[in-house]
């Protein structure tokens, strides 16, 4: 299930910090920028809400990490989750199968960047679109959500990320300025 929050500015940090785990609080306090701190807390709280809704969990989750660094909920290997944030909002996905999610702010299209990370077929989709900035971000969020799902993270040749092998769900919100994609193992 996918959860989104694009109303970060109203987050009451004092009460939010009281709701998160000590582990997350320590991580948040290392973040210098106040807005980025809010995003980190909001993403974690979205995960808390998702876990309560989907699995009845009321305790704030604590993370452990796979060998490659991908986080998982300690003591609950049966629950797969992923979180992401951008300037415009936060996203979270939970599932009983491997899942990844990415949310990105829509920004001006830069062809030179696209050519570094997109293959020829993807470049064709982008350049033939009346909104190449949206197509680029849509494809980027697909790639990043896939890599988060597999636990690989950003790797050297993003052109080789296989976008046809899994199920993607994309939300495009031009009014709020973001695109979010979740990837789930089929």
């Amino acid at each position: 299930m996918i959860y989104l929050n694009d109303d970060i500015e109203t987050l009451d940090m004092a009460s939010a910090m009281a709701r998160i785990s000590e582990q997350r609080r320590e991580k948040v306090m290392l973040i210098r920028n106040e807005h980025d701190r809010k995003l980190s807390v909001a993403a974690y709280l979205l995960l808390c809400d998702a876990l309560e809704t989907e699995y009845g969990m009321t305790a704030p989750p604590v993370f452990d990490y796979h060998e490659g660094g991908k986080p998982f909920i300690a003591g609950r290997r049966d629950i797969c989750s992923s979180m992401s944030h951008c300037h415009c909002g936060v996203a979270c996905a939970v599932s009983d199968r491997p899942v990844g999610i990415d949310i990105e702010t829509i920004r001006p299209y830069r062809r030179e960047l696209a050519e570094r990370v997109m293959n020829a077929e993807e470049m064709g989709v982008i350049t033939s679109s009346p909104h190449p900035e949206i197509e680029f971000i849509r494809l980027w969020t697909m790639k990043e959500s896939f890599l988060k799902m597999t636990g690989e993270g950003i790797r050297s040749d993003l052109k080789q990320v296989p976008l046809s092998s899994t199920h993607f769900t994309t939300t495009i919100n031009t009014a709020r300025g973001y695109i979010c994609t979740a990837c789930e193992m089929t």
Side-chain angles (χ1 to χ4, degrees):
M1 186 64 77
I2 300 167
Y3 295 81
L4 290 165
N5 178 357
D6 57 16
D7 184 23
I8 306 306
E9 294 309 314
T10 62
L11 180 67
D12 176 0
M13 282 295 281
S15 66
M17 291 294 280
R19 291 183 54 206
I20 67 177
S21 70
E22 181 63 30
Q23 178 193 50
R24 190 61 173 197
R25 198 173 305 114
E26 288 173 7
K27 181 177 179 173
V28 167
M29 294 315 295
L30 295 175
I31 301 170
R32 290 186 179 148
N33 180 284
E34 181 65 27
H35 184 72
D36 290 343
R37 219 180 280 139
K38 271 188 168 186
L39 290 169
S40 181
V41 170
Y44 181 85
L45 290 177
L46 202 57
L47 175 64
C48 290
D49 293 344
L51 293 172
E52 184 171 359
T53 300
E54 303 293 323
Y55 297 95
M57 292 177 57
T58 56
V62 173
F63 297 106
D64 209 341
Y65 297 88
H66 293 285
E67 189 174 304
K70 181 178 179 177
F72 64 91
I73 299 165
R76 293 302 306 257
R77 288 188 177 254
D78 59 316
I79 300 173
C80 299
S81 66
S82 182
M83 296 183 294
S84 182
H85 59 78
C86 68
H87 186 75
C88 302
V90 298
C92 170
V94 294
S95 179
D96 58 355
R97 296 181 290 197
V99 66
I101 197 161
D102 186 45
I103 185 170
E104 296 288 337
T105 302
I106 299 170
R107 48 195 174 272
Y109 172 65
R110 293 184 18 226
R111 185 179 181 101
E112 64 279 358
L113 174 60
E115 288 174 340
R116 284 201 318 261
V117 298
M118 300 293 169
N119 63 38
E121 181 182 339
E122 295 160 350
M123 283 302 297
V125 170
I126 293 167
T127 58
S128 67
S129 171
H131 300 286
E133 71 284 2
I134 291 175
E135 283 305 311
F136 173 75
I137 298 296
R138 183 183 69 81
L139 290 166
W140 176 267
T141 60
M142 290 173 71
K143 289 174 182 273
E144 193 162 336
S145 66
F146 176 86
L147 294 172
K148 287 172 113 179
M149 178 194 68
T150 63
E152 295 175 61
I154 299 296
R155 58 184 181 181
S156 59
D157 191 3
L158 292 172
K159 292 179 181 183
Q160 302 302 314
V161 175
L163 299 182
S164 60
S165 62
T166 56
H167 174 72
F168 294 96
T169 303
T170 299
T171 300
I172 300 172
N173 189 329
T174 55
R176 299 292 287 173
Y178 65 84
I179 296 175
C180 179
T181 299
C183 178
E184 187 173 35
M185 190 71 71
T186 54

